[in-house]
Amino acid sequence: GAPSRKEYPSGNIPPPRLSIIGGDSSATNVKYLPNCLISQQPMFLAAVLSALQNEQLRHLHRNWTDLVTASLNCFSCGSLTNIVISVVHQLCHNIDRIAKLSLKEQSGFPPDYVVSQLEAITILCHYCLLDNTQQTTLSHLFNQAYPQTSVSAQSSNTGQLLNSIVHSFLSTAAAAAATSQTTEAQAPRNPQLLAARNAVLSHLSRIVTSVAAVWDSELGQVRPVKQQLMEFLSPVSLHHGVNFLAAVAVTWQERGEAHAKRIKPLSTLSITEQYLRNSSPQACAEQLSLVTLVSSIRVMPMDSFVQTLHQVVRNPPPIHRPPVHLTIEVSALELFYFYMKSAPAPQLGDSWSSLLALLRDGLSLTPPAQFVLLMLLNEFVQRCPQMPFPDKKDVRDLHDVTARLVDSLSNVAGSCLEQTTWLRRNLAVKEDISPLTSEGSVRDSIGGQQQQYAVQAQSILAATLANLLDVAYGSQEKDKVVNIITTLLYNITPYLKNHTARNVPSFYACSSLLASLSGYQYTRKAWRKDMLDLLLDNSFFQLDISCLCFWKQIMDSLMTYDNTTFRELMSRVSLTQTGSLNIFTSREQEYEQRSMLLKRLAFVIFCSEFDQYHKYMPEIQEQLANSLRLLSMVPSVQAAVFLCFRVLLLRMSADHVTSLWPIIIAEMVHVFLAMEQELKSDSEDLSQQMRLLSGMDVSWSSNSSSNGFSSQNQVTHWRSVQLEASKLLELGCVLPATNLPHFQMYRWAFVGTEFDVHEDVPIMNGNSDEQTTTATLPTTVYVPHIRRIGRLMDMKYAVHSPINNVKRGRHLMLTFQQINSLQDLYGFFSTLSVNCPNPHNHADIDKEVASCLAEIEEVLAKDFLEKMPTSTTPR
């Protein structure tokens, strides 16, 4: 029976359906037709196909293929095309079936089965595709490209193989006719042979699919099979390179689509994984095997390959029943990209003129094709041994095509932006981007078509642009790079101003782009102002944690390349201390501005190298002390100061923070005393708690309404202060004395020592005149803060067991970013009051210290982040 259509790739039709062109393949047509040649009889083709389909007769398949190949010159009057296409398809099906089997499972096949089937395909296709002069010339060319090792192999080549078989099976007259045809090289081919040629070329993708399947299998490593594959493909690629490359491109896309069904869809991946998939062309193992197959065909030099690719892209050849959504130009370019990556670098130099023509014409292609073109240009520029070009014309051409290609991708990257003002250019991310799911919607709108590729364009630029521009433009031409980047940033910066969750993929890609560009100092002029403005924006820290690594690099570059930028930031912090803000701002806005600037100062130091800003320590310490002195009871500012403390202890050596410790200890004691006061209070009234939270001075709490603060904001900010102080204490407890030597002098005041002698004494409920005992605390002359707070928590949260949040192999407990009540710190203080008096802590060896520091850095990075809004940020 005929095989099911489902067994064939898209665009491939089972042989029985091709048996009679324009007719039906049902059994009623398989009958003798009077006055018709045997080759025109449906019974003849039906018998051949039936024999080739019968697996029980596989030992006779070679005889049947010899019959067909020997009779090629006898087929006439329209039967040649029908017979060749039908038989070739059946042979492809046969080798598809055996290619799926291992060598052990092929024991029931004749030893030369695959070779005989490939030989038959070779003769049938070459007969239709090659002139006799091409076959003769090919013999010498093929032997040069693929030297043989045996005498029998040396006598084997495509032209001789065809002539020997044809002459052995044809009559003397037919052989004489074939010989005369060989001598008439310039004679026009007859229409029947021309039709057969066009048919074979249009079905070449089906043939390449089967041939590539053999190449991928264990059979492809067998020398006779590999040799036969090259004998078949080399002449086709040499004389019909456009059709051959298009056929390989179709197979490339089919294999890519099959692989895409086996992997996770893009929408289910993390932001980082999405970026990696978008930032460069992806190829599975089956597609890379095609690259190896094409690379093995050594009769086509690199320059000819590029010219052939140009023709495929500019004018794709017809494909018989192509796959749905075939993008042959993209597939062909992706194939060539991986071919170029595997090719030796010296081969690239001679292909520049052809590649330049391809790049110029490719500017009119679809965005996915342009993405691959930029990757091709970058690959060429990075690996070409002639770079930089000695010829000024080549240099001008390179600059021209690079600038035009980057500008084209910049437009695609900015396709999700819209202008918000009429008078001046002010772009913002569109709020109403409709998802393009149907094919029609993409084709109906060029703008809509570009929108779906915006993130991919940003990712491609991020992966390639910085290195491309650095190599393509010499040291005397860097000003041109600044102009290109300045223009590009018009379409990139608006995405960095949008901090919504929907914009995270674009924000990640654009952040990566800026991080790569910032690594080159000469680009600074293009992005310095925009990046500083973004740093000072109120929503700067509303980003995904995966993007933070890029902004650490950007901020480091922003502050490192000159001293003026950091001094400018310090001057802004200093300005807020003097109260010289806008007279129209409220006191609440003034406090928030000071807190914001201190947090950004901490982040800049966090992004720096160790001791990079040590010479600014006196000025930094002065600003922190002023903030605490002038605004001692503003919790948002206090929280920012504690964050600065933690960063400075990590980024500065011990000698440079010596004078900072008295300030740190005083603030920690103040916060812990206030926590004790809160724990001793039984009142649940919010205003009463706020008076307790503010410590000794009640003026801040009583003036809260005039300051513009709500009670809920007061509590939220104060909880942040408590958490920050606790994290600062945890930092001192987990790091060894070699990292924080000065803390060891104060350690006993917080956590005690291992030599303490404990006694139980009554502790009153806040007032000395009360005689009611509420808890018993172990004490000596002095009771450490942690034990006092831990015992008070045991009393207040007696019905709740403390939760130990330390995971196995981890050092920190306080890995969260906010707390709702002091009960959230119960586990920390309970654990610390028991375990921490022993100075021999976790991080006593180098490996443990490195692990602990990495953990601290991870938590500290998360502490900078703020919650992203769900809707679009104001413009």
Side-chain angles (χ1 to χ4, degrees):
S4 171
R5 182 183 181 89
K6 295 181 180 179
E7 299 178 12
Y8 294 84
S10 55
N12 301 325
I13 310 302
R17 298 197 179 192
L18 293 167
S19 58
I20 300 177
I21 294 181
D24 189 7
S25 60
S26 62
T28 57
N29 286 330
V30 183
K31 59 184 179 180
Y32 175 73
L33 300 180
N35 303 321
C36 288
L37 300 176
I38 291 180
S39 61
Q40 295 176 316
Q41 295 289 342
M43 296 179 64
F44 171 76
L45 182 56
V48 172
L49 295 180
S50 178
L52 294 177
Q53 291 170 3
N54 193 332
E55 297 183 12
Q56 303 299 324
L57 299 178
R58 63 170 67 103
H59 61 285
L60 298 177
H61 283 181
R62 186 183 186 99
N63 295 334
W64 285 94
T65 56
D66 286 347
L67 170 64
V68 176
T69 55
S71 307
L72 285 173
N73 275 10
C74 301
F75 300 147
S76 59
C77 302
S79 61
L80 177 64
T81 301
N82 188 28
I83 293 176
V84 168
I85 296 298
S86 300
V87 173
V88 166
H89 270 264
Q90 182 57 48
L91 295 177
C92 288
H93 176 70
N94 290 350
I95 63 177
D96 282 344
R97 185 168 59 245
I98 194 174
K100 297 176 182 178
L101 306 177
S102 64
L103 292 178
K104 292 183 180 180
E105 295 172 331
Q106 299 174 17
S107 57
F109 289 79
D112 62 342
Y113 184 79
V114 176
V115 175
S116 65
Q117 300 290 286
L118 291 174
E119 283 181 353
I121 293 177
T122 300
I123 297 171
L124 292 173
C125 292
H126 286 189
Y127 180 85
C128 298
L129 299 180
L130 305 180
D131 297 329
N132 289 293
T133 53
Q134 295 172 343
Q135 298 172 18
T136 304
T137 304
L138 198 63
S139 302
H140 175 69
L141 179 63
F142 186 81
N143 285 333
Q144 285 183 337
Y146 306 95
Q148 309 293 334
T149 56
S150 64
V151 176
S152 60
Q154 290 177 2
S155 62
S156 170
N157 58 68
T158 305
Q160 293 173 347
L161 180 64
L162 177 62
N163 291 333
S164 61
I165 294 180
V166 169
H167 282 278
S168 63
F169 285 91
L170 291 182
S171 61
T172 305
T179 304
S180 64
Q181 187 178 8
T182 302
T183 58
E184 298 175 2
Q186 304 301 325
R189 302 178 65 88
N190 60 64
Q192 172 185 305
L193 204 53
L194 188 59
R197 167 182 289 189
N198 293 334
V200 171
L201 290 177
S202 65
H203 288 264
L204 197 57
S205 60
R206 173 67 181 95
I207 303 171
V208 169
T209 298
S210 298
V211 168
V214 175
W215 176 266
D216 293 343
S217 67
E218 296 179 5
L219 288 168
Q221 306 306 315
V222 179
R223 181 175 179 81
V225 175
K226 193 173 184 179
Q227 184 71 20
Q228 187 60 48
L229 289 174
M230 294 300 103
E231 288 188 9
F232 168 55
L233 295 176
S234 296
V236 178
S237 65
L238 183 64
H239 296 289
H240 299 281
V242 174
N243 298 87
F244 171 74
L245 190 55
V248 178
V250 172
T251 306
W252 175 278
Q253 178 167 325
E254 289 177 342
R255 292 188 170 195
E257 291 174 348
H259 177 72
K261 295 177 181 178
R262 301 193 297 267
I263 62 176
K264 294 181 179 179
L266 188 65
S267 58
T268 63
L269 300 178
S270 67
I271 298 299
T272 303
E273 291 172 331
Q274 290 183 32
Y275 170 78
L276 292 176
R277 188 177 292 186
N278 281 327
S279 60
S280 63
Q282 303 294 311
C284 60
E286 292 82 2
Q287 290 175 305
L288 294 177
S289 178
L290 283 177
V291 177
T292 307
L293 174 60
V294 174
S295 302
S296 301
I297 306 173
R298 298 189 292 268
V299 297
M300 184 183 297
M302 177 69 73
D303 185 60
S304 300
F305 198 120
V306 179
Q307 294 179 19
T308 304
L309 175 66
H310 192 181
Q311 296 180 50
V312 172
V313 171
R314 184 171 53 189
N315 186 22
I319 303 293
H320 178 74
R321 296 198 179 182
V324 181
H325 307 306
L326 174 64
T327 53
I328 196 167
E329 68 281 356
V330 178
S331 300
L333 289 170
E334 288 179 348
L335 170 68
F336 179 65
Y337 170 72
F338 288 98
Y339 177 84
M340 177 185 284
K341 287 176 68 72
S342 63
Q347 294 184 12
L348 304 180
D350 298 332
S351 61
W352 167 241
S353 58
S354 302
L355 183 61
L356 177 63
L358 172 65
L359 293 171
R360 284 175 171 169
D361 283 358
L363 292 170
S364 61
L365 296 176
T366 59
Q370 294 184 26
F371 300 158
V372 188
L373 288 176
L374 186 68
M375 299 294 294
L376 283 173
L377 178 60
N378 181 60
E379 186 70 20
F380 177 87
V381 167
Q382 301 297 331
R383 297 185 59 217
C384 179
Q386 281 78 22
M387 290 297 297
F389 288 132
D391 189 350
K392 291 185 178 181
K393 181 181 182 302
D394 290 338
V395 173
R396 288 194 301 270
D397 290 339
L398 174 62
H399 292 175
D400 174 68
V401 73
T402 300
R404 292 171 61 189
L405 195 53
V406 171
D407 183 66
S408 181
L409 263 69
S410 172
N411 292 331
V412 178
S415 58
C416 291
L417 303 177
E418 62 182 354
Q419 191 161 335
T420 58
T421 57
W422 179 62
L423 294 178
R424 61 189 180 93
R425 182 179 175 87
N426 184 26
L427 299 178
V429 180
K430 295 179 181 177
E431 298 184 19
D432 55 348
I433 300 177
S434 56
L436 300 176
T437 55
S438 64
E439 181 185 0
S441 62
V442 173
R443 292 182 176 179
D444 294 342
S445 171
I446 297 178
Q449 184 184 26
Q450 289 191 342
Q451 284 182 15
Q452 65 176 342
Y453 298 117
V455 176
Q456 190 175 358
Q458 297 154 9
S459 303
I460 293 287
L461 288 170
T464 61
L465 184 61
N467 292 334
L468 171 62
L469 296 180
D470 185 56
V471 179
Y473 290 83
S475 57
Q476 304 300 322
E477 301 154 333
K478 298 304 185 185
D479 56 326
K480 298 180 180 178
V481 175
V482 174
N483 295 333
I484 293 175
I485 297 176
T486 302
T487 305
L488 171 66
L489 290 186
Y490 285 126
N491 290 324
I492 295 299
T493 306
Y495 291 102
L496 299 175
K497 295 180 180 179
N498 186 292
H499 294 266
T500 58
R502 182 175 60 90
N503 188 56
V504 168
S506 289
F507 191 94
Y508 184 98
C510 294
S511 299
S512 176
L513 173 59
L514 262 297
S516 62
L517 291 174
S518 67
Y520 298 94
Q521 185 173 357
Y522 57 84
T523 66
R524 176 182 176 82
K525 182 180 178 181
W527 51 264
R528 178 191 179 278
K529 182 180 181 301
D530 287 336
M531 296 306 104
L532 187 58
D533 291 344
L534 289 173
L535 173 65
L536 299 176
D537 186 73
N538 291 332
S539 58
F540 174 74
F541 289 111
Q542 296 173 5
L543 47 85
D544 190 85
I545 183 64
S546 60
C547 305
L548 197 63
C549 59
F550 301 125
W551 285 99
K552 289 177 65 176
Q553 182 178 346
I554 295 170
M555 290 300 109
D556 186 33
S557 301
L558 178 65
M559 300 295 171
T560 302
Y561 289 147
D562 61 43
N563 297 327
T564 59
T565 309
F566 186 76
R567 288 198 174 277
E568 181 179 347
L569 178 62
M570 289 298 299
S571 66
R572 289 174 181 262
V573 177
S574 177
L575 180 66
T576 61
Q577 310 298 344
T578 62
S580 303
L581 295 176
N582 193 320
I583 61 174
F584 298 103
T585 59
S586 66
R587 184 169 296 183
E588 179 185 4
Q589 291 173 326
E590 182 177 336
Y591 294 159
E592 290 299 325
Q593 180 76 359
R594 293 178 181 180
S595 172
M596 181 197 77
L597 288 172
L598 287 173
K599 186 174 182 179
R600 278 142 186 80
L601 174 63
F603 183 70
V604 168
I605 300 174
F606 178 67
C607 299
S608 67
E609 299 293 332
F610 192 73
D611 272 344
Q612 180 175 336
Y613 296 114
H614 72 89
K615 62 181 179 180
Y616 296 99
M617 268 306 298
E619 188 177 352
I620 294 173
Q621 181 175 333
E622 180 184 0
Q623 301 304 333
L624 295 178
N626 289 339
S627 297
L628 293 172
R629 184 177 67 253
L630 298 175
L631 302 167
S632 59
M633 286 297 110
V634 179
S636 61
V637 176
Q638 282 184 287
V641 171
F642 273 111
L643 186 62
C644 286
F645 287 158
R646 292 164 60 201
V647 172
L648 289 172
L649 294 179
L650 283 180
R651 288 294 182 264
M652 299 293 174
S653 57
D655 294 341
H656 296 134
V657 294
T658 302
S659 59
L660 193 64
W661 275 107
I663 304 175
I664 295 176
I665 298 302
E667 291 303 313
M668 291 175 65
V669 169
H670 172 78
V671 173
F672 289 143
L673 286 175
M675 291 172 65
E676 290 182 35
Q677 289 294 104
E678 180 183 355
L679 289 169
K680 292 176 183 179
S681 170
D682 292 330
S683 173
E684 299 298 331
D685 180 72
L686 186 61
S687 61
Q688 175 67 19
Q689 285 193 25
M690 289 312 304
R691 284 194 293 272
L692 292 170
L693 294 181
S694 60
M696 303 298 181
D697 185 2
V698 298
S699 59
W700 175 79
S701 179
S702 61
N703 295 330
S704 61
S705 59
S706 62
N707 290 343
F709 283 92
S710 67
S711 297
Q712 186 59 44
N713 282 339
Q714 296 174 33
V715 174
T716 301
H717 288 307
W718 183 251
R719 295 303 182 205
S720 298
V721 174
Q722 294 171 331
L723 180 59
E724 286 291 337
S726 301
K727 287 185 175 183
L728 183 55
L729 176 62
E730 184 180 39
L731 177 68
C733 292
V734 298
L735 287 180
T738 53
N739 289 63
L740 300 177
H742 297 90
F743 177 72
Q744 310 313 311
M745 295 186 294
Y746 308 99
R747 180 189 182 100
W748 63 272
F750 295 99
V751 298
T753 68
E754 58 184 325
F755 304 107
D756 290 346
V757 178
H758 306 304
E759 296 179 4
D760 290 341
V761 298
I763 297 297
M764 304 305 171
N765 189 21
N767 298 320
S768 59
D769 57 347
E770 282 192 33
Q771 299 300 319
T772 304
T773 301
T774 58
T776 59
L777 293 179
T779 183
T780 57
V781 177
Y782 172 79
V783 181
H785 290 284
I786 299 305
R787 290 182 190 165
R788 292 159 62 175
I789 294 175
R791 293 299 183 183
L792 288 170
M793 286 185 168
D794 287 339
M795 174 203 67
K796 188 164 187 175
Y797 309 121
V799 296
H800 302 283
S801 299
I803 300 175
N804 190 339
N805 293 323
V806 178
K807 299 179 180 179
R808 183 181 298 273
R810 306 284 286 184
H811 304 87
L812 301 182
M813 291 185 64
L814 302 178
T815 57
F816 38 85
Q817 280 65 53
Q818 63 180 11
I819 58 174
N820 296 319
S821 68
L822 282 179
Q823 186 175 345
D824 295 333
L825 297 176
Y826 185 19
F828 168 71
F829 284 104
S830 177
T831 303
L832 204 61
S833 62
V834 175
N835 296 337
C836 207
N838 189 344
H840 301 288
N841 49 45
H842 298 289
D844 280 337
I845 59 176
D846 292 342
K847 185 177 180 181
E848 282 294 318
V849 171
S851 173
C852 184
L853 286 173
E855 194 175 334
I856 292 172
E857 297 253 353
E858 178 186 348
V859 173
L860 189 55
K862 293 180 180 178
D863 288 343
F864 281 103
L865 302 184
E866 299 169 1
K867 185 178 180 181
M868 286 188 294
T870 55
S871 59
T872 304
T873 54
R875 307 183 183 187

